[in-house]
mmCIF file of all heavy atoms in Angstrom:
data_model
loop_
_atom_site.group_PDB
_atom_site.id
_atom_site.type_symbol
_atom_site.label_atom_id
_atom_site.label_comp_id
_atom_site.label_asym_id
_atom_site.label_seq_id
_atom_site.Cartn_x
_atom_site.Cartn_y
_atom_site.Cartn_z
ATOM 1 N N LYS A 1121 -15.218 19.746 -1.038
ATOM 2 C CA LYS A 1121 -14.880 19.367 0.330
ATOM 3 C C LYS A 1121 -15.175 20.497 1.305
ATOM 4 O O LYS A 1121 -15.034 20.336 2.504
ATOM 5 C CB LYS A 1121 -13.385 19.004 0.442
ATOM 6 C CG LYS A 1121 -12.959 17.894 -0.477
ATOM 7 C CD LYS A 1121 -13.577 16.595 -0.088
ATOM 8 C CE LYS A 1121 -13.101 15.469 -0.986
ATOM 9 N NZ LYS A 1121 -13.775 14.224 -0.706
ATOM 10 N N TYR A 1122 -15.546 21.664 0.786
ATOM 11 C CA TYR A 1122 -15.813 22.845 1.608
ATOM 12 C C TYR A 1122 -17.151 22.693 2.318
ATOM 13 O O TYR A 1122 -18.158 22.374 1.695
ATOM 14 C CB TYR A 1122 -15.834 24.089 0.708
ATOM 15 C CG TYR A 1122 -15.993 25.395 1.439
ATOM 16 C CD1 TYR A 1122 -14.892 26.065 1.934
ATOM 17 C CD2 TYR A 1122 -17.243 25.974 1.609
ATOM 18 C CE1 TYR A 1122 -15.025 27.266 2.591
ATOM 19 C CE2 TYR A 1122 -17.385 27.175 2.263
ATOM 20 C CZ TYR A 1122 -16.275 27.816 2.750
ATOM 21 O OH TYR A 1122 -16.411 29.010 3.410
ATOM 22 N N LYS A 1123 -17.143 22.905 3.622
ATOM 23 C CA LYS A 1123 -18.377 22.842 4.405
ATOM 24 C C LYS A 1123 -18.607 24.201 5.039
ATOM 25 O O LYS A 1123 -17.904 24.593 5.973
ATOM 26 C CB LYS A 1123 -18.258 21.776 5.492
ATOM 27 C CG LYS A 1123 -18.166 20.381 4.934
ATOM 28 C CD LYS A 1123 -18.072 19.363 6.025
ATOM 29 C CE LYS A 1123 -17.902 17.978 5.440
ATOM 30 N NZ LYS A 1123 -17.663 16.974 6.456
ATOM 31 N N PRO A 1124 -19.577 24.972 4.554
ATOM 32 C CA PRO A 1124 -19.809 26.311 5.100
ATOM 33 C C PRO A 1124 -20.338 26.257 6.534
ATOM 34 O O PRO A 1124 -20.943 25.276 6.958
ATOM 35 C CB PRO A 1124 -20.835 26.921 4.153
ATOM 36 C CG PRO A 1124 -21.443 25.785 3.434
ATOM 37 C CD PRO A 1124 -20.461 24.657 3.449
ATOM 38 N N LEU A 1125 -20.099 27.340 7.261
ATOM 39 C CA LEU A 1125 -20.581 27.432 8.636
ATOM 40 C C LEU A 1125 -22.091 27.608 8.654
ATOM 41 O O LEU A 1125 -22.662 28.289 7.800
ATOM 42 C CB LEU A 1125 -19.941 28.630 9.345
ATOM 43 C CG LEU A 1125 -18.464 28.550 9.654
ATOM 44 C CD1 LEU A 1125 -17.998 29.858 10.276
ATOM 45 C CD2 LEU A 1125 -18.179 27.410 10.596
ATOM 46 N N THR A 1126 -22.735 27.000 9.641
ATOM 47 C CA THR A 1126 -24.183 27.182 9.799
ATOM 48 C C THR A 1126 -24.475 28.285 10.808
ATOM 49 O O THR A 1126 -25.493 28.968 10.697
ATOM 50 C CB THR A 1126 -24.852 25.873 10.259
ATOM 51 O OG1 THR A 1126 -24.197 25.423 11.442
ATOM 52 C CG2 THR A 1126 -24.747 24.815 9.180
ATOM 53 N N VAL A 1127 -23.595 28.445 11.797
ATOM 54 C CA VAL A 1127 -23.725 29.520 12.789
ATOM 55 C C VAL A 1127 -22.387 30.235 12.876
ATOM 56 O O VAL A 1127 -21.346 29.641 12.603
ATOM 57 C CB VAL A 1127 -24.130 28.981 14.184
ATOM 58 C CG1 VAL A 1127 -25.517 28.414 14.157
ATOM 59 C CG2 VAL A 1127 -23.147 27.952 14.689
ATOM 60 N N PRO A 1128 -22.376 31.520 13.262
ATOM 61 C CA PRO A 1128 -21.100 32.240 13.374
ATOM 62 C C PRO A 1128 -20.173 31.593 14.395
ATOM 63 O O PRO A 1128 -20.599 31.056 15.411
ATOM 64 C CB PRO A 1128 -21.519 33.638 13.830
ATOM 65 C CG PRO A 1128 -22.929 33.771 13.409
ATOM 66 C CD PRO A 1128 -23.512 32.396 13.478
ATOM 67 N N LYS A 1129 -18.890 31.658 14.109
ATOM 68 C CA LYS A 1129 -17.863 31.052 14.941
ATOM 69 C C LYS A 1129 -17.194 32.123 15.798
ATOM 70 O O LYS A 1129 -17.179 33.294 15.435
ATOM 71 C CB LYS A 1129 -16.840 30.386 14.005
ATOM 72 C CG LYS A 1129 -15.883 29.457 14.639
ATOM 73 C CD LYS A 1129 -15.053 28.814 13.529
ATOM 74 C CE LYS A 1129 -13.854 28.113 14.104
ATOM 75 N NZ LYS A 1129 -12.978 27.603 13.061
ATOM 76 N N LYS A 1130 -16.583 31.725 16.912
ATOM 77 C CA LYS A 1130 -15.951 32.661 17.838
ATOM 78 C C LYS A 1130 -14.540 33.015 17.372
ATOM 79 O O LYS A 1130 -13.740 32.142 17.047
ATOM 80 C CB LYS A 1130 -15.896 32.029 19.224
ATOM 81 C CG LYS A 1130 -15.540 32.982 20.335
ATOM 82 C CD LYS A 1130 -15.418 32.242 21.635
ATOM 83 C CE LYS A 1130 -16.307 32.843 22.674
ATOM 84 N NZ LYS A 1130 -16.086 32.226 23.981
ATOM 85 N N CYS A 1131 -14.232 34.310 17.361
ATOM 86 C CA CYS A 1131 -12.910 34.808 16.982
ATOM 87 C C CYS A 1131 -11.931 34.566 18.122
ATOM 88 O O CYS A 1131 -12.270 34.738 19.291
ATOM 89 C CB CYS A 1131 -13.003 36.300 16.674
ATOM 90 S SG CYS A 1131 -11.427 37.077 16.323
ATOM 91 N N THR A 1132 -10.697 34.183 17.778
ATOM 92 C CA THR A 1132 -9.694 33.918 18.811
ATOM 93 C C THR A 1132 -9.078 35.197 19.372
ATOM 94 O O THR A 1132 -8.469 35.163 20.434
ATOM 95 C CB THR A 1132 -8.563 33.025 18.268
ATOM 96 O OG1 THR A 1132 -7.986 33.664 17.137
ATOM 97 C CG2 THR A 1132 -9.089 31.663 17.885
ATOM 98 N N LYS A 1133 -9.234 36.313 18.683
ATOM 99 C CA LYS A 1133 -8.664 37.584 19.144
ATOM 100 C C LYS A 1133 -9.640 38.366 20.024
ATOM 101 O O LYS A 1133 -9.296 38.801 21.107
ATOM 102 C CB LYS A 1133 -8.236 38.459 17.950
ATOM 103 C CG LYS A 1133 -7.111 37.877 17.148
ATOM 104 C CD LYS A 1133 -5.813 37.976 17.893
ATOM 105 C CE LYS A 1133 -4.697 37.377 17.060
ATOM 106 N NZ LYS A 1133 -3.457 37.289 17.786
ATOM 107 N N CYS A 1134 -10.856 38.556 19.540
ATOM 108 C CA CYS A 1134 -11.809 39.406 20.264
ATOM 109 C C CYS A 1134 -12.866 38.605 21.033
ATOM 110 O O CYS A 1134 -13.679 39.184 21.750
ATOM 111 C CB CYS A 1134 -12.490 40.376 19.320
ATOM 112 S SG CYS A 1134 -13.501 39.597 18.050
ATOM 113 N N ASP A 1135 -12.883 37.289 20.907
ATOM 114 C CA ASP A 1135 -13.834 36.406 21.591
ATOM 115 C C ASP A 1135 -15.294 36.749 21.312
ATOM 116 O O ASP A 1135 -16.164 36.549 22.155
ATOM 117 C CB ASP A 1135 -13.580 36.394 23.101
ATOM 118 C CG ASP A 1135 -12.256 35.746 23.448
ATOM 119 O OD1 ASP A 1135 -11.835 34.847 22.689
ATOM 120 O OD2 ASP A 1135 -11.645 36.137 24.465
ATOM 121 N N GLN A 1136 -15.572 37.271 20.140
ATOM 122 C CA GLN A 1136 -16.941 37.550 19.710
ATOM 123 C C GLN A 1136 -17.319 36.551 18.621
ATOM 124 O O GLN A 1136 -16.467 36.069 17.886
ATOM 125 C CB GLN A 1136 -17.042 38.978 19.143
ATOM 126 C CG GLN A 1136 -16.652 40.066 20.108
ATOM 127 C CD GLN A 1136 -17.674 40.228 21.208
ATOM 128 O OE1 GLN A 1136 -18.866 40.083 20.984
ATOM 129 N NE2 GLN A 1136 -17.198 40.504 22.413
ATOM 130 N N LYS A 1137 -18.598 36.263 18.499
ATOM 131 C CA LYS A 1137 -19.060 35.354 17.443
ATOM 132 C C LYS A 1137 -19.254 36.155 16.153
ATOM 133 O O LYS A 1137 -20.370 36.492 15.770
ATOM 134 C CB LYS A 1137 -20.344 34.667 17.865
ATOM 135 C CG LYS A 1137 -20.140 33.639 18.938
ATOM 136 C CD LYS A 1137 -21.317 32.713 19.032
ATOM 137 C CE LYS A 1137 -20.958 31.559 19.928
ATOM 138 N NZ LYS A 1137 -21.876 30.453 19.794
ATOM 139 N N THR A 1138 -18.140 36.444 15.496
ATOM 140 C CA THR A 1138 -18.180 37.284 14.299
ATOM 141 C C THR A 1138 -17.612 36.612 13.054
ATOM 142 O O THR A 1138 -17.625 37.217 11.983
ATOM 143 C CB THR A 1138 -17.396 38.593 14.538
ATOM 144 O OG1 THR A 1138 -16.091 38.259 15.006
ATOM 145 C CG2 THR A 1138 -18.093 39.477 15.548
ATOM 146 N N ILE A 1139 -17.117 35.393 13.164
ATOM 147 C CA ILE A 1139 -16.549 34.712 11.998
ATOM 148 C C ILE A 1139 -17.680 34.078 11.201
ATOM 149 O O ILE A 1139 -18.430 33.248 11.716
ATOM 150 C CB ILE A 1139 -15.524 33.645 12.425
ATOM 151 C CG1 ILE A 1139 -14.374 34.309 13.175
ATOM 152 C CG2 ILE A 1139 -15.005 32.894 11.207
ATOM 153 C CD1 ILE A 1139 -13.372 33.340 13.727
ATOM 154 N N LEU A 1140 -17.780 34.487 9.934
ATOM 155 C CA LEU A 1140 -18.861 33.997 9.079
ATOM 156 C C LEU A 1140 -18.362 33.033 7.999
ATOM 157 O O LEU A 1140 -19.171 32.408 7.323
ATOM 158 C CB LEU A 1140 -19.567 35.182 8.418
ATOM 159 C CG LEU A 1140 -20.131 36.224 9.388
ATOM 160 C CD1 LEU A 1140 -20.663 37.422 8.621
ATOM 161 C CD2 LEU A 1140 -21.216 35.622 10.256
ATOM 162 N N HIS A 1141 -17.044 32.933 7.837
ATOM 163 C CA HIS A 1141 -16.473 32.067 6.805
ATOM 164 C C HIS A 1141 -15.880 30.812 7.438
ATOM 165 O O HIS A 1141 -15.217 30.882 8.461
ATOM 166 C CB HIS A 1141 -15.390 32.802 6.018
ATOM 167 C CG HIS A 1141 -15.879 34.056 5.378
ATOM 168 N ND1 HIS A 1141 -16.726 34.052 4.307
ATOM 169 C CD2 HIS A 1141 -15.651 35.354 5.675
ATOM 170 C CE1 HIS A 1141 -16.998 35.286 3.961
ATOM 171 N NE2 HIS A 1141 -16.361 36.101 4.778
ATOM 172 N N ALA A 1142 -16.082 29.685 6.809
ATOM 173 C CA ALA A 1142 -15.562 28.424 7.327
ATOM 174 C C ALA A 1142 -14.039 28.400 7.258
ATOM 175 O O ALA A 1142 -13.436 29.060 6.412
ATOM 176 C CB ALA A 1142 -16.130 27.257 6.515
ATOM 177 N N TYR A 1143 -13.423 27.662 8.168
ATOM 178 C CA TYR A 1143 -11.984 27.447 8.267
ATOM 179 C C TYR A 1143 -11.215 28.684 8.739
ATOM 180 O O TYR A 1143 -9.999 28.667 8.779
ATOM 181 C CB TYR A 1143 -11.390 26.935 6.948
ATOM 182 C CG TYR A 1143 -12.124 25.738 6.414
ATOM 183 C CD1 TYR A 1143 -13.001 25.849 5.351
ATOM 184 C CD2 TYR A 1143 -11.972 24.491 7.018
ATOM 185 C CE1 TYR A 1143 -13.700 24.748 4.881
ATOM 186 C CE2 TYR A 1143 -12.662 23.393 6.555
ATOM 187 C CZ TYR A 1143 -13.530 23.523 5.484
ATOM 188 O OH TYR A 1143 -14.218 22.446 5.032
ATOM 189 N N HIS A 1144 -11.879 29.763 9.100
ATOM 190 C CA HIS A 1144 -11.212 30.950 9.610
ATOM 191 C C HIS A 1144 -11.208 30.901 11.137
ATOM 192 O O HIS A 1144 -12.140 30.376 11.755
ATOM 193 C CB HIS A 1144 -11.921 32.224 9.147
ATOM 194 C CG HIS A 1144 -11.736 32.501 7.694
ATOM 195 N ND1 HIS A 1144 -11.838 33.759 7.160
ATOM 196 C CD2 HIS A 1144 -11.452 31.700 6.648
ATOM 197 C CE1 HIS A 1144 -11.619 33.717 5.865
ATOM 198 N NE2 HIS A 1144 -11.391 32.469 5.528
ATOM 199 N N ILE A 1145 -10.158 31.468 11.752
ATOM 200 C CA ILE A 1145 -10.094 31.523 13.211
ATOM 201 C C ILE A 1145 -10.103 32.963 13.719
ATOM 202 O O ILE A 1145 -10.274 33.211 14.895
ATOM 203 C CB ILE A 1145 -8.847 30.789 13.753
ATOM 204 C CG1 ILE A 1145 -7.568 31.402 13.200
ATOM 205 C CG2 ILE A 1145 -8.925 29.306 13.456
ATOM 206 C CD1 ILE A 1145 -6.313 30.923 13.889
ATOM 207 N N ILE A 1146 -9.886 33.929 12.797
ATOM 208 C CA ILE A 1146 -9.875 35.343 13.153
ATOM 209 C C ILE A 1146 -10.896 36.063 12.282
ATOM 210 O O ILE A 1146 -10.978 35.826 11.075
ATOM 211 C CB ILE A 1146 -8.463 35.942 12.929
ATOM 212 C CG1 ILE A 1146 -7.435 35.212 13.793
ATOM 213 C CG2 ILE A 1146 -8.445 37.427 13.248
ATOM 214 C CD1 ILE A 1146 -6.012 35.585 13.515
#
Side-chain angles (χ1 to χ4, degrees):
K1121 302 293 182 185
Y1122 185 87
K1123 293 181 183 174
L1125 291 177
T1126 54
V1127 293
K1129 193 175 167 186
K1130 192 184 235 186
C1131 175
T1132 57
K1133 295 287 180 187
C1134 63
D1135 293 330
Q1136 301 289 324
K1137 288 197 169 196
T1138 53
I1139 299 176
L1140 303 174
H1141 303 289
Y1143 308 104
H1144 289 204
I1145 59 169
I1146 300 172

